[in-house]
Each structure stands twice: as structure tokens, then as C-alpha cells.
Amino acid sequence: MAVNHYENFPVASLLMPAHLRPAVTAIYAFARSADDIADEGDAAPPERLAALAAYARQLDLIEQGQPGEGPIFTRLQQVIAQYQLPLQPFRDLLSAFSQDVVTTRYARYDDLLDYCRRSANPVGTLMLHLYGQADAANLRDSDAICSALQLINFWQDVAIDWQKQRIYLPLEDLERFDVSPQDIQQARVDRRWQQLMQFEVERARALMLSGAPLARRLPGRIGWELRLVVQGGLRILERIEAVGGDVFQQRPKLGKPDWLLIGWRGLTR
């Protein structure tokens, strides 16, 4: 799943086999720290890009069989070697984080999906490799689930992203529903905004459901974990719908009653 979704699905991580947790921790440390370089602190864009380029050089060292520098890359190198993980997903993550430094708008939905391909899908790809389940069909459905999770996070965080001067809603969709960036700035929730958000919710739901069969195909704990992830994402979409798309007054998120419902749906759907 996307790095910045991880906090949305803490229950699912409890189902992960203990022997895989150190590897997942190493991957998460890489991704989280790189994401923080792109998003946190007061560094200027050139400094952020330079720091991310330094991460990319560390991946080059790992590919060349040379030791990584620092604890993050030392551990990551061990995990990559142990599980024969591909390096491209790590490079894709860095590409997406670098894009966050310089890109604040997305003209088309396809542009946003390309960003999701690099910001979200790599984590699902790496998880499948850890579990030894990375065949073509599984990777395809994992991509759909991960991209849907990323989109759901964007719809949750419209107000938060605006504070960073970012709009992830495709501009072509804003134009289609006659919504302007000023409407977002003013937190205007009217019929146009509600129609836009319903459109985006339905699109993310369809994408999630297209990948959901993966949760039934995967065996054991990974299958159960993914069922909770899928149901968690779908539940957030229901939360957005329940407030009529008003993600400005309060960020739709999951509480204890939601997790009870998610668990039940994971068992029965």
C-alpha cells in the first residue's frame, strides 16, 4: 500500500507473519524517510531533490554489490539480498517523492494514475515479492488496490493538501464539475463539489473492487491482511459519502466501530 496509507490500516499489519516484520520495517524506513525528505521541514526544493538523489545513489551501490551507507541502507541491502527484491520499485518511490517536490497539480486523471504507479504500487509489489506471490495476475490486482488506496487518501486529504498548495483532484475533473481551486481554498461544499466528490469516490471504489479478488486468491495471513486493507479503503469511501463529500470540516477516518465492521466484512465478503 502507499506509504502514507500505512497509518490508516494498523490492524492489518498485526496479521503479518513475525519473520517478515523486520523486512517490512526496513522497507518502510526507507520509504518513510524519503517521503519525509520530500514533504517535511523547511528545506528548499533543490535541497530536497539533492537528498533524494543521494538516496538513489545508495540504491546504485546496492545494485553494484557495494555496502550501503548508514543504518537504513545497510539493513535494506540485507533485505534485498535475502528476498531477492527488485530495485525498480524503490527507484519508482524516489521518482514519485521527487515529483512531489516540484508538482502541485495534475491536469488529467491519467497523470494522477501515473503518479500512483510510482508512489503507491511499488509497496504492494514489494509485499508480493516478500510473500513469494509476485505473478502477473497478482501484480496487476495489487496495482489496482494500491492506486485506489492512494486515491482514497487524496480524497480524504483535500484540505490538508491545500495547506501545502497541492491539489490532487485532476484539473479536468474540476473543470467538468465547474469547481475552482478557489472553491477548495474557501472550503465550499455545494452541489457542484458534492457531485465532483461522488464521481471521485465511485471511481476509486471501482478501481479497488477491480483488484479485490486478489485478497481471496492469496493464501493464509496475506490474504486476510489484504481483505482488511480493501475493506478499510472501501469504508473510508463510505465515510466520505456520509458527510456529503465535506472533507473540510473533519477528515474522514476510521474509528473502533469501523474496524469491527471491517473485520466482519473481511470474514463474510
Side-chain angles (χ1 to χ4, degrees):
M1 70 191 70
V3 173
N4 53 357
H5 292 314
Y6 204 80
E7 67 273 16
N8 285 336
F9 305 104
V11 174
S13 64
L14 298 178
L15 294 177
M16 185 174 296
H19 73 276
L20 288 181
R21 289 175 191 165
V24 173
T25 299
I27 294 169
Y28 184 76
F30 164 86
R32 180 76 272 168
S33 61
D35 193 23
D36 286 346
I37 289 171
D39 272 345
E40 303 299 328
D42 300 321
E47 296 175 90
R48 297 180 189 275
L49 293 174
L52 290 169
Y55 266 48
R57 288 193 293 273
Q58 289 295 315
L59 293 180
D60 292 340
L61 290 177
I62 291 174
E63 185 175 38
Q64 296 161 12
Q66 301 181 38
E69 300 172 0
I72 288 178
F73 289 98
T74 298
R75 182 60 188 135
L76 187 65
Q77 183 176 34
Q78 295 168 350
V79 168
I80 288 171
Q82 180 179 357
Y83 293 96
Q84 294 295 292
L85 299 179
L87 283 169
Q88 190 58 46
F90 297 99
R91 292 193 170 107
D92 286 342
L93 285 171
L94 294 180
S95 170
F97 298 148
S98 296
Q99 185 167 315
D100 269 335
V101 176
V102 297
T103 302
T104 60
R105 303 288 189 275
Y106 289 84
R108 302 180 303 125
Y109 179 61
D110 286 346
D111 299 330
L112 190 60
L113 283 184
D114 178 68
Y115 172 80
C116 294
R117 178 185 63 78
R118 290 172 288 119
S119 70
N121 299 3
V123 179
T125 295
L126 291 169
M127 293 303 105
L128 287 177
H129 278 278
L130 286 178
Y131 278 98
Q133 298 289 334
D135 63 38
N138 289 349
L139 288 168
R140 178 199 64 218
D141 288 351
S142 173
D143 285 350
I145 291 170
C146 290
S147 286
L149 289 171
Q150 181 77 85
L151 294 177
I152 292 166
N153 186 245
F154 289 151
W155 310 161
Q156 279 179 295
D157 286 348
V158 170
I160 294 172
D161 290 329
W162 176 258
Q163 297 304 314
K164 303 175 184 178
Q165 298 302 304
R166 291 178 183 164
I167 298 176
Y168 288 103
L169 290 159
L171 297 182
E172 65 181 3
D173 295 348
L174 268 65
E175 182 177 359
R176 174 178 178 176
F177 291 95
D178 193 25
V179 173
S180 70
Q182 289 70 37
D183 292 322
I184 298 174
Q185 181 182 24
Q186 297 170 15
R188 182 176 292 124
V189 179
D190 56 14
R191 179 183 56 82
R192 298 169 302 151
W193 177 260
Q194 291 175 329
Q195 289 176 339
L196 167 64
M197 289 301 289
Q198 188 61 43
F199 174 76
E200 303 297 3
V201 162
E202 290 173 359
R203 182 149 64 178
R205 179 181 288 122
L207 186 59
M208 177 71 82
L209 292 175
S210 74
L214 175 62
R216 291 289 180 183
R217 288 201 308 273
L218 293 178
R221 289 186 178 186
I222 184 177
W224 283 108
E225 181 179 10
L226 193 56
R227 290 179 201 181
L228 295 182
V229 168
V230 168
Q231 292 301 328
L234 293 173
R235 182 58 178 162
I236 292 174
L237 291 176
E238 292 175 351
R239 284 288 190 186
I240 294 173
E241 289 178 314
V243 296
D246 186 356
V247 293
F248 300 105
Q249 298 301 316
Q250 185 173 354
R251 180 180 186 263
K253 59 183 180 180
L254 303 177
K256 185 175 180 180
D258 295 298
W259 281 112
L260 294 174
L261 178 62
I262 288 165
W264 173 250
R265 288 177 174 176
L267 286 169
T268 59
R269 293 191 177 181

